[in-house]
Amino acid sequence: MRLSILVPFATFVACAAAAQSPPPLFDDADDGGVERAPDTALGRTVASGGAQQGGVGMKCMACHGLDDAGAGLGEMPGLAGLPADYIEAQLQAFMAGERFSPIMVPIATQLTEEERLAVADYYASVAPKLSKFDHGAPTDVVQQGGALAASGSDSVPACNQCHGGSDTSGAAIPRLAGQSAQYIADQLVAWQNGDRANGPLNVMEDIAKSLSDAEIRAVALYYQQTPPDAE
């Protein structure tokens, strides 16, 4: 099932409640006190098509952009500013069969461990610049999504509790603000259907299954309408 959110967009500015600290289950795994030095130079090379295997055919920038230029459109997520731990964990999930994509599975599998870590470090170091704000979104739908993000409902917690702040660099929590509404909606449906199964303690699976199609559409449009640097 694929939820279509190709609808007109309208201007909306929402004030969301301040995000709470992420719950402990999202905290970084114990690394034994050894801090790894990020290799953003290698990561940029990989993103540009310089992986040891596959080369230019593996260039991340073809779909995700480089320096956040042309990134995160339609079904593709923008990677700029996402936590390195989160990006690397998604590459591992594609390798382990916990996420499926005919494009990403072979790419993640061919990258070396060093390249996976480096490209994650690189995108984490890039500040998101683009907003997918479109002036045609229906105000009532975006308001509904903003209410879900800020306060949740009887069946789901507030999305902003984990996703609402910009200070997620030390935890594996993705930024949703400014992401494509189609991508957000598609991922929530994937959680619902069991096509994505790499969330901690089944948190996202349970939340997604509690959302209606209308709520998914609303919260996806709300986050698309929120500039990535607004928080």
Side-chain angles (χ1 to χ4, degrees), residues 102-117:
I103 297 173
M104 284 306 307
V105 168
I107 289 176
T109 303
Q110 289 186 78
L111 291 173
T112 66
E113 180 181 6
E114 181 184 24
E115 288 171 336
R116 288 194 302 272
L117 292 169

Side-chain angles (χ1 to χ4, degrees), residues 88-104:
E88 204 273 330
Q90 302 318 300
L91 292 171
Q92 292 282 359
F94 284 121
M95 294 171 62
E98 296 170 339
R99 291 189 68 175
F100 177 73
S101 161
I103 297 173
M104 284 306 307

Side-chain angles (χ1 to χ4, degrees), residues 98-158:
E98 296 170 339
R99 291 189 68 175
F100 177 73
S101 161
I103 297 173
M104 284 306 307
V105 168
I107 289 176
T109 303
Q110 289 186 78
L111 291 173
T112 66
E113 180 181 6
E114 181 184 24
E115 288 171 336
R116 288 194 302 272
L117 292 169
V119 79
D121 288 335
Y122 168 68
Y123 275 112
S125 73
V126 177
K129 306 176 183 68
L130 298 181
S131 171
K132 283 72 185 177
F133 188 92
D134 193 313
H135 292 279
T139 303
D140 58 335
V141 175
V142 181
Q143 286 177 332
Q144 179 190 8
L148 281 170
S151 304
S153 69
D154 291 341
S155 57
V156 297

Side-chain angles (χ1 to χ4, degrees), residues 55-88:
V56 71
M58 300 269 285
K59 60 181 181 182
C60 313
M61 62 181 290
C63 295
H64 301 289
L66 191 68
D67 297 330
D68 207 31
L73 303 175
E75 300 174 0
M76 303 297 178
L79 300 184
L82 293 180
D85 287 346
Y86 174 76
I87 297 173
E88 204 273 330

Side-chain angles (χ1 to χ4, degrees), residues 27-37 85 170:
D27 288 348
D28 291 336
D30 183 9
D31 59 5
V34 178
E35 185 173 347
R36 181 179 57 82
D85 287 346

